[in-house]
Amino acid sequence: MFQTAAGVTVPFPEKLCEQYQRDGDTLTLNLSFEKLDGFVRAFYAELSAPLFLAVHPDAESDEVWYLDGMSKKQLAMILDGYGELLYQDGLSAFAIASHETEEEIFIQKYKVISIYSPRLERFLPLLEQFGVAPTKHLVTAWDTFSGDTPGAAERLEIAGQTVPDMIGELQKIGMYKAES
């Protein structure tokens, strides 16, 4: 059964399948929650460092925070400490990308995932490894919402911290707010 993050309510999760749809240089996909951490780590393992992390504390606003110039080991340490919070929180979104190739994974609101790469074919084995099949019409969480059955996303606190708290901590090691 398709699992969603704790901070996300999808009215009909049974309508979601682990599938992807391609549009040019972008793949949009659904992935059951229990696979998210492994998938994100396997994805950035394929990227060229240095890497950056972009965090949108509220996926509905333009506010973005960046932590640049990271090695894969540094990113792994951040995800070891804050990954559960980023994965479970319903209001935030985040991206991990390579400065060199600009290839990116973006975990959007409702945990809909986008992958950008001018060489998408190189990520197809990863999708296959995680059981994500191609489709011509991807049904995402957004497609399950209606006036009678809205989705919900909420801010979570995990181990006493929220995503804004995490940003405050990461500012100590160089996270900065993007200029509007």
Side-chain angles (χ1 to χ4, degrees):
M1 182 157 171
F2 194 92
Q3 293 181 25
T4 60
V8 169
T9 302
V10 176
F12 302 105
E14 66 276 6
K15 292 183 178 181
L16 304 179
C17 297
E18 292 183 312
Q19 295 178 324
Y20 70 88
Q21 183 175 337
R22 184 173 184 165
D23 182 16
D25 290 342
T26 302
L27 296 176
T28 303
L29 64 119
N30 292 327
L31 189 67
S32 190
F33 180 78
E34 74 277 7
K35 297 180 181 179
L36 186 58
D37 181 58
F39 186 81
V40 167
R41 289 175 187 267
F43 180 85
Y44 78 73
E46 298 290 322
L47 298 181
S48 299
L51 305 176
F52 70 85
L53 171 67
V55 178
H56 303 252
D58 178 349
E60 300 291 317
S61 85
D62 292 335
E63 181 182 348
V64 187
W65 291 81
Y66 288 100
L67 189 55
D68 293 325
M70 289 186 288
S71 68
K72 292 176 187 181
K73 184 176 181 180
Q74 289 169 318
L75 181 57
M77 290 173 52
I78 288 170
L79 290 179
D80 288 348
Y82 297 109
E84 185 73 10
L85 181 57
L86 285 170
Y87 299 140
Q88 295 279 14
D89 187 71
L91 287 185
S92 61
F94 71 96
I96 295 169
S98 166
H99 285 288
E100 184 179 307
T101 65
E102 298 181 355
E103 293 173 308
E104 175 181 279
I105 185 168
F106 182 32
I107 314 301
Q108 303 171 63
K109 193 168 183 184
Y110 295 103
K111 308 309 172 191
V112 175
I113 301 170
S114 289
I115 293 174
Y116 167 79
S117 172
R119 303 177 298 141
L120 281 175
E121 290 74 22
R122 74 188 207 93
F123 296 107
L124 298 182
L126 181 64
L127 293 166
E128 190 174 311
Q129 174 190 339
F130 279 84
V132 184
T135 185
K136 291 194 185 306
H137 179 71
L138 181 68
V139 175
T140 70
W142 295 97
D143 298 313
T144 69
F145 304 159
S146 73
D148 294 332
T149 58
E154 62 182 299
R155 171 79 63 222
L156 291 186
E157 183 177 298
I158 295 180
Q161 290 198 309
T162 63
V163 168
D165 296 331
M166 175 200 75
I167 289 168
E169 288 297 310
L170 293 177
Q171 284 178 306
K172 297 173 185 174
I173 61 167
M175 183 168 258
Y176 63 94
K177 188 175 181 180
E179 299 289 326
S180 305

